[in-house]
Each structure stands twice: as C-alpha cells, then as structure tokens.
Amino acid sequence: MRLGLALGYWGRGPDPRHLELAREAERLGYDSVWTAEAWGSDAFTALTWIAAHTSRIKLGTGIAQMAARTPTATAMHALTLDHLSGGRMLLGLGLSGPQVVEGWYGRPFPKSPLTATREYVDVIRQVLRRQGPVASDGAFHPHPYQGPDGTGLGKPLKPITHPLRADLPVLLGAEGPRNIAQTTEIADGWLPLYWSPTRTEVYAKSLANAPDGFLIAPMARAVVCDDIAEGLLPVKAMLGFYIGGMGHAAKNFHADLMARMGFEDEARRVQRLFLEGRRDEAVRAVPDAFADEISLVGSRERIAERLELWRAGPVTDLLVTAPDPRTLRVLAELNS
C-alpha cells in the first residue's frame, strides 16, 4: 500500500504549511500529493506550484470538479501539468452534487449522472490519445456542439499539443454503488470519500469487476496524538459539513453513503441539525465510532495496529490528511 498526502483545498486563504508538507512527504518517500477544490481555490494552480518545488512525487487532483470545466479544458490542464512535471500527473475527477453544480457553477445537475460522467471521461481519453479530432454525439458533452442555440459552424479538433502520456491515469470520486461499478469500467482508479477497513463489504459488489492494477485510493485523516477524542474533532467537523452542508435535505450523496455504512439514523440526525443551523450540535452528533473507523488517530502504537487493517484490504494508496511532519514521518516508518 502506497502513501499519499491529501492537502485538500484552501480555507480563507492559502495554507502556508502545504508546500512544506508536500516537500517533506516527497523526502519521506510518499508516492503522491493531492489537491482539491470546492468553491474557493482551484485544484490545478496549487498543484502546479507544488510541482515546481518537487521532483519525484506524483501530483493528483483529489478532486477536480467536472462542472467547473468542459472535459476538453480539463484535459488541457492535465496534459499541460503532465508535461511540466515530467509525467507525474494523476487526474482525479468528481461530479459533486446539485447544490454545488447549480449553486456555484450555475449549471444544471445532469439528470443521468452516470451518462454524463462516462461522456466526460471519454472526451478526456480522446484528447489524451490524440488519434483524431474529438468527436462525441453524447447528450451532455457533444463535440462539436450542435444544439439549437449554436451556429452550426463547430469543427472537430484534436489538441495542438501532443500529450506526454496517452494513458495518463484518470480516477473518479464516485459514491453511489452504480457509479463505483461504472468507475471500474471507465477509469484507472477510484477515490472513495469514506473508507472503513472493517466494512469493505459495503463496496464489494461494486468493485467485483475491477481490473488488475485498478487503484483504490481513499482519504483518511491521520494524526499522532495522546487524546483520541481531540484528534477526532477535525474528522467530525468535516463529516458534519459534508453530511449536513454539502447537499439538499432530500438529495445528499454524502449522507446516503454514511447511511449505507451502517449509520443511517445518525446521518439523518447530523443532516437535520446542520440544516437547522445548529452546526456545533451537528458536529457533536457525528458518532466517534464512525469518525474513528475512517481515520488513523492516536498513539504511534494505536496507529500501527489500525494501519494493518488498511494494509490487509484492497486499498492500493492511502491518502492521508496529516497536519504535521511528525505524523507524516510516523506513517512512513510504519508503512515501510
């Protein structure tokens, strides 16, 4: 199992620790570093900055939002950074949800998310292969565009720049069972939002047809500390925000996922409290047991014991959100 460093997205401003952590992760032998985006900082710019200050570590978007860019624009970002970094790019994509897609990007959330995702990935693959002009008669990402409000003058094009790698890895941040199953068919890997090494059966059916070499790269908060309850607080805050704030009361993929993992009543309570504006209560309502399952928190000895559970399962890459160099070092030593 390889280790990666997940830096996420910025909060109020740039995090001055991110570059230091990325360089330390590279020094310690971590395989990859990942950036993200929500509705603030973007994933590619920060990753390019890290690329310029590192030499070996792979560079992943975990995740870049599909609604933010057309598939050809995303492919241009990926092939450009792949060239500049000497072939270190890993393209992680996610569809997000209706609240973000329609509220932030001002676009309709696709009525068929599976079809929209499949078309998006297909266009990116065409760009990277550069075997001919990009052509698609898809419902969501047609190339050329031939809608009733178009000019009818669109011309099929292929990229001017020759991509460095036609097989640049594409990973998807899918959550629903059908989305995960499709991911094993059209992508090179999967970026789970929550992963419990003791509940791998939740995903077993969806992953049944995953090919050899398929990447499974969940993110997990990791911190070496004496007080487990205190160490879990950031995990609970994240869960409260995702379960309560990253979706509508009637359509929240994150809450649905927590429910499928055995915490349905708790997920609905967290969601209700958050939507009522009782955010502190929502965070406290996140079960410690669930936060602990999807994290690596505690003493070095406790983390060593729990890390074995992760290593024993199908996870190929553990992407840790570690807040300090000490935690990065301990994980590298334990995983060596």
Side-chain angles (χ1 to χ4, degrees):
M1 186 178 70
R2 295 176 292 263
L3 292 178
L5 170 65
L7 295 173
Y9 43 77
W10 296 351
R12 185 171 297 181
D15 191 323
R17 302 171 301 168
H18 280 184
L19 182 55
E20 174 192 350
L21 288 171
R23 296 178 73 172
E24 178 67 4
E26 180 174 68
R27 190 188 69 80
L28 291 168
Y30 278 60
D31 186 70
S32 57
V33 58
W34 301 73
T35 57
E37 59 190 13
W39 47 90
S41 61
D42 78 280
F44 289 100
T45 306
L47 199 60
T48 303
W49 182 251
I50 292 169
H53 291 83
T54 56
S55 60
R56 177 200 56 80
I57 198 166
K58 294 173 188 171
L59 308 156
T61 53
I63 59 171
Q65 296 183 337
M66 296 185 211
R69 306 162 190 86
T70 65
T72 46
T74 296
M76 288 196 298
H77 275 295
L79 72 84
T80 301
L81 184 47
D82 203 39
H83 269 291
L84 292 174
S85 66
R88 292 189 278 151
M89 180 70 200
L90 299 164
L91 181 58
L93 301 170
L95 196 59
S96 194
Q99 184 188 49
V100 176
V101 172
E102 298 182 2
W104 179 248
Y105 295 113
R107 303 179 60 184
F109 188 79
K111 290 183 171 59
S112 178
L114 273 76
T115 302
T117 299
R118 187 167 59 249
E119 290 180 14
Y120 199 100
V121 172
D122 175 65
V123 170
I124 289 174
R125 300 282 201 200
Q126 289 189 53
V127 173
L128 295 175
R129 287 194 298 264
R130 200 179 178 272
Q131 293 176 342
V134 174
S136 172
D137 59 358
F140 297 97
H141 301 290
H143 285 71
Y145 180 76
Q146 297 178 359
D149 55 345
T151 65
L153 302 177
K155 177 183 178 181
L157 301 168
K158 66 179 179 180
I160 297 170
T161 305
H162 292 231
L164 183 64
R165 294 182 294 164
D167 58 351
L168 187 155
V170 177
L171 298 89
L172 296 177
E175 291 185 47
R178 292 173 62 205
N179 281 318
I180 298 169
Q182 177 177 264
T183 297
T184 67
E185 299 170 0
I186 66 173
D188 302 294
W190 172 46
L191 295 162
L193 180 60
Y194 317 138
W195 179 275
S196 169
T198 61
R199 298 177 192 264
T200 57
E201 73 280 357
V202 172
Y203 303 115
K205 185 176 180 180
S206 298
L207 294 172
N209 295 320
D212 292 342
F214 186 77
L215 304 177
I216 299 177
M219 298 184 188
R221 169 81 173 183
V223 59
V224 179
C225 61
D226 296 324
D227 189 329
I228 296 174
E230 182 178 348
L232 288 175
L233 281 177
V235 184
K236 296 179 66 169
M238 175 274 292
L239 288 168
F241 177 63
Y242 272 75
I243 294 164
M246 293 281 275
H248 187 270
K251 198 174 187 69
N252 185 310
F253 302 134
H254 310 308
D256 293 344
L257 175 57
M258 182 176 170
R260 288 197 302 275
M261 295 181 74
F263 295 88
E264 182 167 8
D265 292 343
E266 295 88 341
R268 303 309 171 197
R269 182 164 186 263
V270 170
Q271 189 178 25
R272 176 176 55 80
L273 289 170
F274 197 97
L275 293 175
E276 290 174 356
R278 299 155 67 183
R279 297 190 176 189
D280 290 343
E281 290 182 64
V283 170
R284 290 196 297 271
V286 174
D288 284 0
F290 181 58
D292 196 28
E293 279 187 30
I294 64 172
S295 311
L296 287 162
V297 174
S299 66
R300 178 189 177 102
E301 293 72 25
R302 186 174 194 265
I303 289 177
E305 180 179 339
R306 296 173 63 80
L307 189 63
E308 289 306 309
L309 296 175
W310 293 78
R311 290 159 60 98
V315 170
T316 61
D317 298 78
L318 174 59
L319 313 183
V320 296
T321 58
D324 62 89
R326 178 194 175 202
T327 297
L328 288 179
R329 184 177 67 253
V330 167
L331 283 170
E333 292 169 355
L334 294 175
N335 197 56
S336 61

